[in-house]
Amino acid sequence: MQNASVPDSGADRRIGVVVLTGFLGSGKTTLLNRLVQDPAYADAAVVVNEFGAVGVDHHLLRYADARIALLEGGCICCTVNGGLVDTLRDLFMLALRRQIKPFRRVLVETTGLATPAAILFTLRHEHFLAERYVHHGTITVVDASHVVTQLPAQPEAAQQVAQADLIVCAKSDLVTAGALAQALDAVAQVNPGATVCVQRQDAPLDRRLLLREPLPARVAGAGWGSWLGARGGLSAGGRHGGVRQVVVDLPAPISRGAFLAGMARVQEAHHQGLLRIKGLVQFQGEDAPCALHGVHRDLYPPERLAAWPDGEGQSRLVFIVRGPDPAVVAAAVRHALRQPA
């Protein structure tokens, strides 16, 4: 398939999509305003709920149609109209017809009460989008002054943190050093594997926010130590919204087919409580491990690695769960995958 919006080089020619999420009042809109004005976004399309909510009107140069505008920095800004599928399809076709300039990346902003899972499901299972777009990661913005109380009280906030690949701790200048440490601890309790950056309004943008490549956590084999370094078992967490980490070692050999069938059974039974799945598994008869990612009942295709990452060599799965008993989930995984207790 010829993709007019993606350069010819590289193995995967699809357009990278990064999801930007965060609870109400987290500072997500403030961060988005900074991003769309940065020259690094000159080759990007930004999909927002409405222009007014982003506050970029004074940067508009011209309208490509009723809901698409080009910004001073060169980035394309587009409002969601008729759902995300229609919006991304329309953007692609407009670029193909040269009605807007080609774009290489897309940043999709969610509402404050939305979680990334629905967008990730759409990108994988809507045929037109799956052929042309690929998820490059999720950025979640948290408010340093409120995240400690929001995580146990707001299910959406906990899901946004659990499903993040990069967490941006905003408004750090409004809290004491002790309160900032508590905020970072609360985030780590929910998602111990995510990369966290503290972004001050008066500081330059963190380089990881420029999105020139997939977020490090989405690169197969990168940054697995914080996820998989613990021994198999249950986390002692759970005080932040009942979110816990379940780590299951897989010492018994398992074929790729048996693994996928077993995981399908686990996800069907517990999907609402499975906020995040990640792991490294070496399948029976294969000489290198595969990286695994999943959300709820959706498990992405295994990504084959050239070798085990440094310090790793044990097949292991990590689940971030909310709702089901972690011991029940661990037992179900071991049973479905025929692993010893």
Side-chain angles (χ1 to χ4, degrees):
M1 177 197 66
Q2 179 65 33
N3 189 332
S5 299
V6 185
D8 290 335
S9 61
D12 192 337
R13 300 172 61 194
R14 292 178 294 175
I15 302 166
V17 178
V18 171
V19 179
L20 177 65
T21 190
F23 198 68
L24 298 168
S26 63
K28 170 168 52 71
T29 298
T30 300
L31 177 62
L32 183 58
N33 269 302
R34 293 191 66 186
L35 296 179
V36 299
Q37 297 175 55
D38 193 285
Y41 279 77
D43 62 352
V46 178
V47 178
V48 299
N49 295 301
E50 55 179 323
F51 287 132
V54 186
V56 296
D57 299 67
H58 63 291
H59 298 290
L60 301 184
L61 283 181
R62 64 181 178 84
Y63 283 92
D65 70 9
R67 60 190 177 88
I68 298 175
L70 304 184
L71 309 187
E72 260 183 11
C75 132
I76 302 163
C77 196
C78 175
T79 53
V80 175
N81 182 27
L84 183 65
V85 173
D86 291 343
T87 298
L88 291 178
R89 182 187 293 114
D90 291 349
L91 278 173
F92 183 89
M93 296 309 298
L94 285 168
L96 192 66
R97 295 193 294 263
R98 302 296 191 235
Q99 292 177 262
I100 60 174
K101 66 176 186 175
F103 54 92
R104 297 176 58 190
R105 301 170 290 153
V106 178
L107 180 65
V108 178
E109 180 214 18
T110 74
T111 66
L113 293 175
T115 59
I119 294 176
L120 308 191
F121 185 88
T122 299
L123 289 174
R124 278 204 64 218
H125 294 284
E126 204 289 324
H127 183 69
F128 184 94
L129 300 189
E131 285 193 342
R132 295 160 176 84
Y133 295 94
V134 60
H135 180 226
H136 272 184
T138 296
I139 298 172
T140 297
V141 183
V142 300
D143 181 345
S145 57
H146 294 295
V147 68
V148 173
T149 57
Q150 285 174 343
L151 288 175
Q154 305 292 344
E156 296 86 358
Q159 290 190 60
Q160 290 165 353
V161 170
Q163 293 168 8
D165 298 299
L166 173 65
I167 297 172
V168 179
C169 191
K171 305 184 183 181
S172 60
D173 54 324
L174 303 181
V175 300
T176 65
L180 177 60
Q182 289 182 333
L184 296 176
D185 177 67
V187 166
Q189 287 286 330
V190 172
N191 189 344
T195 301
V196 181
C197 68
V198 177
Q199 181 67 63
R200 294 176 58 96
Q201 185 66 12
D202 58 355
L205 284 171
D206 190 291
R207 293 182 65 251
R208 290 165 291 190
L209 296 171
L210 302 184
L211 309 183
R212 297 194 182 280
E213 302 291 340
L215 291 173
R218 302 302 302 186
V219 177
W224 291 83
S226 57
W227 271 89
L228 304 176
R231 297 182 64 182
L234 309 179
S235 74
R239 56 192 175 91
H240 293 293
V243 177
R244 290 197 178 191
Q245 183 184 21
V246 181
V247 185
V248 181
D249 286 337
L250 309 178
I254 185 169
S255 69
R256 182 182 289 250
F259 175 86
L260 296 176
M263 283 298 296
R265 292 194 294 273
V266 172
Q267 290 178 272
E268 183 62 30
H270 300 287
H271 65 92
Q272 291 185 338
L274 302 180
L275 303 185
R276 187 74 184 271
I277 304 166
K278 192 168 183 176
L280 289 176
V281 178
Q282 184 160 349
F283 298 118
Q284 192 172 20
E286 299 186 17
D287 57 3
C290 289
L292 278 301
H293 290 275
V295 176
H296 296 306
R297 59 158 55 104
D298 210 17
L299 189 68
Y300 308 127
E303 303 170 67
R304 186 177 174 84
L305 307 183
W308 284 95
D310 290 343
E312 302 298 336
Q314 168 70 61
S315 293
R316 182 173 295 158
L317 295 173
V318 179
F319 301 81
I320 297 180
V321 303
R322 178 176 184 167
D325 184 334
V328 171
V329 173
V333 172
R334 293 190 182 100
H335 176 73
L337 302 184
R338 303 172 187 172
Q339 300 295 313

